[in-house]
Amino acid sequence: MAADLETLVAQVWSPEVRPLAEEAWRCYNAGAIRSSIVATWAAVSMDIIVKLIRLADEGDKAAVQFREEVPPLKKRGVAPTGPPVLARTVLTEWARLHARL
């Protein structure tokens, strides 16, 4: 099973997401399970953001709107309203785009 997960991590296509997935795997192997969960969530969130931005680059109108909203949210950084707002926006947009497929 460990070799299977390692293979999957190596197959992550996005250069922005791969280091986050590798970090999650390192945390898991070190026995830092909570850290592994947090790192996995960061990788999944980044993967969704990257894919939505790619859709925007291909001309999807809803994704274009999302792409325009991301930079101001990222500027907030780690603040009481920062990451939860970004995560909520990402998940809302992902669900909306996925429903159209």
Side-chain angles (χ1 to χ4, degrees):
M1 172 151 159
D4 294 338
L5 287 174
E6 196 167 332
T7 301
L8 291 173
V9 168
Q11 293 175 355
V12 172
W13 66 272
S14 172
E16 293 95 347
V17 176
R18 190 176 305 114
L20 299 171
E22 289 170 347
E23 177 68 16
W25 180 241
R26 283 192 298 274
C27 290
Y28 179 79
N29 282 330
I33 303 304
R34 288 183 183 158
S35 296
S36 176
I37 292 168
V38 170
T40 299
W41 175 245
V44 169
S45 297
M46 179 58 76
D47 187 55
I48 292 170
I49 291 168
V50 168
K51 287 177 179 172
L52 284 169
I53 291 173
R54 189 172 193 164
L55 283 172
D57 291 343
E58 294 172 1
D60 185 285
K61 290 180 184 179
V64 168
Q65 180 183 353
F66 171 80
R67 181 181 58 195
E68 292 169 358
E69 293 173 1
V70 169
L73 293 172
K74 287 172 78 174
K75 282 183 182 180
R76 292 185 192 174
V78 180
T81 58
V85 171
L86 180 57
R88 202 167 32 255
T89 302
V90 168
L91 292 175
T92 301
E93 290 302 316
W94 181 256
R96 192 162 54 85
L97 289 170
H98 189 270
R100 292 188 351 207
L101 299 178

